[in-house]
Amino acid sequence: MRTILNFLATAWIVSGILLVGARSLRAEPFVYVPLGSESKIAVIDAAKDQIIGIIDGLQAVHGLAGTPDGRFLIAGSYSERSVDIKPAKPKGISEDEHAAHHKASSVQTENSDIASVSTVSVIQISEGEVIRTIDVPGAVHHVSVSPDGRYTAVTRPNESEISVIDLTNFEIVGNISTGEFPNYSVFSPDSERLFVSNAGDSTISTINSKNWNVEKVIPVGMSPEHIVLSKDGKTLFVNNVDDGTVSVVDTKSMQETNTMKLGSVLHGIDLSEDGTALFVAALGDDKIAKVDLASGSLQTAELSPAPYHLATITETGKIYVSSSDETKIWVVDQKSLELLGQITIDGKGHQMVVMPGS
């Protein structure tokens, strides 16, 4: 599989141009939006709210995360294939390396009856190409990367596991059972702990990254999915999709300290740039909600239909919100929740990644 970065007519269309070179000519940040069944990632210039490129060839890409150094994207596929079928070799690696990462044993599981796998792809942003692919058992939903850049974690809901991959050698260091239907994960700022939401049994798991053991499992609301961690790592905010609440969890004691009722069915969640406000996509109510974390005051704005994934766009004062029902992303003001515009995309926008400007 070779992934190709296609610049649109409005961008710099030069044979062999590198995205890193284009960065010096365009405003940052860039936002990378996986488009699910369209099997590609849209590249958006957030200063202009315009698509400037497309990364093609990523089968059913839902989960996406970026490395802290801004060099790579880690993409997870929700499409499964037989363990006996190898994907095409990425450019720049040998046949031996490729075979080593895609033989049946590369899934590194004690289960000998693994029949299907999916591909985790490492994309070099400057080239817009996949440089490594790693097989994991079953489909991947969401992706996270540790702040130190060492590890990526991918959730595999159908197997009730996550896989952790060492980005220094692209090897799986563990397939870890966390709970029923793990959905989302986030690392602590010191990279020493990993928090995972388990939608199937309404729990949050805490994993020690020194030995990859599950240290604690706590109950939260119904069907926790998207989660976000405060910058200081002290507070975890958990979207409980089915009961329309957000659980506030103290990460030191791993105790739920507050529950906020925000709507009927929820989905995306993120914090403001300064960490003083929480944004939540209330999909079932066609609204976006903003909670002032100091006062607890709630502000809402209508956003229809079906606000879905949500991301705070650093250095811009904006939020991007995708729609579950339409092929677009809304651009929303962080302070007022005023609708500033929208971006038409080719598919449904999933786990958005913001690469901040330098």
Side-chain angles (χ1 to χ4, degrees):
M1 174 179 60
R2 180 175 178 178
T3 301
I4 303 173
L5 177 63
N6 298 314
F7 289 105
L8 303 186
T10 56
W12 299 92
I13 308 179
V14 180
S15 178
I17 193 169
L18 304 183
L19 184 55
V20 70
R23 279 186 174 182
S24 63
L25 299 173
R26 302 192 192 94
E28 292 185 281
F30 289 138
V31 183
Y32 298 86
V33 185
L35 300 178
S37 59
E38 297 300 313
S39 297
K40 56 189 177 183
I41 297 170
V43 185
I44 299 175
D45 182 337
K48 300 177 181 178
D49 301 322
Q50 293 179 352
I51 295 176
I52 60 167
I54 296 292
I55 303 175
D56 284 327
L58 294 153
Q59 189 70 27
V61 56
H62 281 221
L64 193 68
T67 57
D69 59 11
R71 295 176 60 200
F72 303 106
L73 294 170
I74 314 299
S77 172
Y78 209 67
S79 176
E80 298 182 10
R81 70 178 194 283
S82 169
V83 71
D84 299 319
I85 300 174
K86 291 192 298 184
K89 181 178 74 67
K91 181 181 179 181
I93 70 169
S94 70
E95 290 288 353
D96 288 345
E97 285 180 298
H98 183 59
H101 286 289
H102 293 284
K103 58 187 178 181
S105 61
S106 72
V107 297
Q108 297 180 14
T109 176
E110 294 179 359
N111 299 325
S112 59
D113 58 348
I114 293 295
S116 61
V117 295
S118 68
T119 299
V120 176
S121 301
V122 181
I123 303 163
Q124 185 172 322
I125 292 175
S126 63
E127 300 284 348
E129 291 186 345
V130 170
I131 62 164
R132 288 289 189 279
T133 54
I134 306 101
D135 287 347
V136 295
V140 170
H141 198 180
H142 292 121
V143 180
S144 62
V145 172
S146 59
D148 62 9
R150 175 72 185 271
Y151 298 106
T152 184
V154 300
T155 60
R156 299 186 291 105
N158 297 332
E159 284 72 37
S160 294
E161 290 184 339
I162 67 165
S163 290
V164 177
I165 299 167
D166 189 329
L167 294 177
T168 65
N169 57 18
F170 306 107
E171 296 289 341
I172 297 174
V173 298
N175 293 308
I176 306 158
S177 297
T178 61
E180 188 177 341
F181 214 83
N183 185 282
Y184 218 91
S185 68
V186 62
F187 283 88
S188 62
D190 60 9
S191 301
E192 292 185 357
R193 290 196 292 171
L194 178 66
F195 304 97
V196 181
S197 63
N198 303 302
D201 57 20
S202 299
T203 62
I204 297 291
S205 298
T206 306
I207 297 169
N208 185 325
S209 66
K210 293 180 180 179
N211 53 25
W212 302 111
N213 289 333
V214 176
E215 291 188 327
K216 195 165 187 177
V217 179
I218 66 165
V220 285
M222 292 178 61
S223 300
E225 292 192 358
H226 292 204
I227 55 179
V228 64
L229 190 64
S230 61
K231 289 182 180 180
D232 61 11
K234 295 180 179 179
T235 308
L236 184 70
F237 299 92
V238 182
N239 251 4
N240 302 310
V241 171
D242 286 351
D243 62 13
T245 65
V246 171
S247 292
V248 182
V249 177
D250 181 295
T251 59
K252 184 177 181 179
S253 64
M254 284 307 293
Q255 297 291 325
E256 185 176 11
T257 60
N258 190 22
T259 303
M260 300 181 286
K261 178 68 177 178
L262 295 181
S264 55
V265 178
L266 308 180
H267 204 81
I269 188 171
D270 207 351
L271 289 162
S272 61
E273 290 184 61
D274 61 9
T276 63
L278 183 73
F279 303 108
V280 179
L283 184 151
D285 302 309
D286 289 334
K287 291 180 180 179
I288 182 173
K290 176 182 179 180
V291 181
D292 184 293
L293 295 175
S295 67
S297 63
L298 176 65
Q299 178 183 357
T300 64
E302 190 171 328
L303 210 57
S304 179
Y308 190 48
H309 279 252
L310 179 154
T312 297
I313 312 303
T314 54
E315 303 173 7
T316 67
K318 296 181 287 194
I319 312 163
Y320 279 6
V321 187
S322 65
S323 171
S324 180
D325 289 351
E326 295 184 357
T327 56
K328 65 182 179 183
I329 291 172
W330 292 286
V331 184
V332 178
D333 184 84
Q334 285 188 37
K335 291 185 177 180
S336 65
L337 298 187
E338 176 188 358
L339 181 62
L340 302 176
Q342 67 181 45
I343 305 163
T344 300
I345 57 177
D346 295 330
K348 184 187 294 188
H350 294 276
Q351 187 179 9
M352 293 179 272
V353 173
V354 182
M355 292 295 198
S358 57

